[in-house]
Amino acid sequence: MSDIALDAIDRSLINRLQSGFPVCERPYSEAAATLGIDETDLIARLRRLLDANVLTRFGPLYRIERAGGAFVLAAMQVPESDVERVAAIVNSRLEVAHNYLREHRFNLWFVLGAESQERIDAAMAWIEARTGYTVYAMPKLSEYFLELRLPV
Amino acid sequence: MNRDRATYELDPIDRVLIRLTQAGLLLVPRPYRDLGDAAGIGEEEVMLRMRRMLDRGVIRRIAAVPNHYALGYRANGMSVWDVPDERADEMGHAVGALPFVTHCYRRPRYLPDWPYNLFAMVHGQTREEVAEKVCAIEALIGPECRAHDVLYSTRILKKTGLRLAA
C-alpha cells in the first residue's frame, strides 16, 4: 500500500505516462510540459512514486517474443503449507518476471520471460525438479487485448 | 491484435540497451545520452535503436507501470472460461474490447484439471466490483460457455518484469 498522498498532478502523471513516453533529447522536459510542470518536478515525482511503490516500474516495456524470445504464463498446484518454499524456488529464477498467489487449486501463477523458448523450458524443468510439482505451461495462443491502463 | 511481423534480430548493442533499461529508464534529464555513455554509443544512436525497437514492437511502449494495489484496485480477478475452440477468437475479441478487461488471451487446456481456454483479467476496487464485471463477460459470451471461474490474487510474490541473463 502506498503511504504517500497523491495530488492531482501525480494522478494525471500516472494516467498519462501509462500510455507512453517520448524518445527525444529531453524526454522528461517534453512529458512535463504536457502536465504543466517542469522537468525537475517530473523527475522528482517519478522518483517518489517509484520509491513508494505506487509505480512498480518506469521505462521500456519489452515484448521479447518479437525478438525471438518468449513470455510464458505458468501455473502450479501447491499445498498451502508448502507455498513459501516453492515460491522462493520459483522467484529465485531470473526468468520469472512476476509471480502471484491466487485462490484456487492452481494457486501459483507466474510469468517467465527469456530470450529464447529453450531458456524458458529449462527454467520450468529446473523448477519442477527442485519443487517436486508439475509446472503447467499456459502460453498464449492468441492475444486479444493488452492494455493495463487503469484510471486513477 | 496479432499482427504478423518478422522477428526482429537483436544485435549485441540492443541487448546491452535492454539490460541497461529492463529495471527502468534513468531518471536524469538526458537518459538516452547517459545510456549511450554506458553502452559506448552516442545519444542519437540510442534514440534510433529505441525508436526501431518501438517500431518493431520489441518495446511495447515506454511507460509507467502502476502498482494497482497501491492505487486502490485491491481486487484482481483472473476470469477463466471454457468456450468452444472454434468460437474462441470471436469471443476473445469481444471480451478483450470491454473497457475493464486489461488482458485477454486464449491458452491451452489441461483436461480434466484445467478446462479453461479463454483468460480475461479484471481489476476492481472490490471483489464485488470484479464479480459484476465478470457477470458482464458472462452475458457477452452467452450460453456457449461451458464453465467459468474467477481466480482472485491474494499476494504478489514477485514483480520485477523481464530480466535478460548477462
Side-chain angles (χ1 to χ4, degrees):
Chain A
M1 295 311 123
S2 70
D3 296 317
I4 61 166
L6 301 180
D7 66 17
I9 293 170
D10 290 326
R11 287 176 188 280
S12 130
L13 177 166
I14 294 166
N15 279 334
R16 294 223 188 174
L17 295 192
Q18 284 183 74
S19 313
F21 184 75
V23 178
C24 62
E25 281 187 18
R26 303 285 290 269
Y28 292 102
S29 174
E30 193 175 304
T34 71
L35 294 161
I37 58 177
D38 67 21
E39 181 184 60
T40 312
D41 191 9
L42 176 57
I43 289 175
R45 283 173 188 270
L46 280 169
R47 196 180 302 282
R48 189 171 56 98
L49 294 171
L50 285 162
D51 287 347
N53 199 31
V54 171
L55 295 178
T56 58
R57 324 194 33 216
F58 174 72
L61 307 181
Y62 288 101
R63 187 154 44 181
I64 202 66
E65 56 270 45
R66 285 281 162 81
F71 271 113
V72 174
L73 176 69
M76 294 174 80
Q77 306 182 65
V78 182
E80 208 177 323
S81 59
D82 209 8
V83 162
E84 298 302 327
R85 178 187 76 91
V86 172
I89 293 170
V90 170
N91 291 353
S92 74
R93 293 298 303 207
L94 186 73
E95 295 85 355
V96 174
H98 38 89
N99 185 6
Y100 283 75
L101 191 64
R102 296 187 179 278
E103 287 179 354
H104 194 272
R105 201 151 48 82
F106 285 82
N107 53 348
L108 213 60
W109 290 82
F110 51 97
V111 171
L112 302 112
E115 261 183 282
S116 68
Q117 184 65 45
E118 290 69 33
R119 286 193 67 98
I120 304 265
D121 294 342
M124 290 194 298
W126 184 91
I127 290 168
E128 286 192 331
R130 292 286 294 265
T131 63
Y133 299 105
T134 302
V135 174
Y136 295 81
M138 301 204 189
K140 58 187 172 196
L141 304 176
S142 300
E143 174 180 330
Y144 303 110
F145 192 74
L146 186 86
E147 290 297 295
L148 188 57
R149 293 180 197 174
L150 302 172
V152 299
Chain B
M1 326 237 163
N2 278 332
R3 275 168 296 184
D4 282 327
R5 296 194 203 197
T7 297
Y8 177 74
E9 193 120 1
L10 297 175
D11 69 15
I13 297 173
D14 292 326
R15 284 202 186 82
V16 169
L17 291 178
I18 294 176
R19 278 191 208 110
L20 290 170
T21 55
Q22 60 196 3
L25 189 67
L26 292 168
L27 294 171
V28 296
R30 292 178 70 174
Y32 304 114
R33 182 192 61 186
D34 293 8
L35 256 176
D37 290 346
I41 57 175
E43 182 178 34
E44 277 303 322
E45 189 179 346
V46 173
M47 294 196 292
L48 186 142
R49 285 172 179 272
M50 297 304 276
R51 289 196 192 106
R52 189 163 62 202
M53 286 195 278
L54 275 163
D55 189 48
R56 299 293 295 273
V58 176
I59 298 177
R60 186 184 293 283
R61 61 183 181 274
I62 301 173
V65 180
N67 173 354
H68 41 264
Y69 285 93
L71 293 169
Y73 288 86
R74 304 236 152 90
N76 158 296
M78 184 171 74
S79 71
V80 292
W81 308 81
D82 174 11
V83 302
D85 283 332
E86 64 278 12
R87 299 288 314 283
D89 280 345
E90 184 191 330
M91 291 171 172
H93 284 297
V95 172
L98 293 169
F100 51 80
V101 171
T102 54
H103 308 58
C104 187
Y105 296 114
R106 186 163 69 85
R107 300 186 183 277
R109 299 183 173 87
Y110 285 92
L111 295 172
D113 292 343
W114 187 260
Y116 310 108
N117 59 338
L118 192 66
F119 288 55
M121 194 67 76
V122 178
H123 294 268
Q125 317 264 351
T126 61
R127 288 196 181 193
E128 290 68 32
E129 187 186 330
V130 171
E132 277 173 31
K133 290 170 173 173
V134 169
C135 282
I137 297 175
E138 193 176 3
L140 183 66
I141 291 181
E144 282 184 84
C145 174
R146 293 179 285 240
H148 79 275
D149 204 345
V150 185
L151 283 69
Y152 288 99
S153 72
T154 49
R155 264 167 73 194
I156 299 177
L157 300 168
K158 183 177 185 181
K159 192 169 182 184
T160 51
L162 176 70
R163 292 287 189 275
L164 296 188

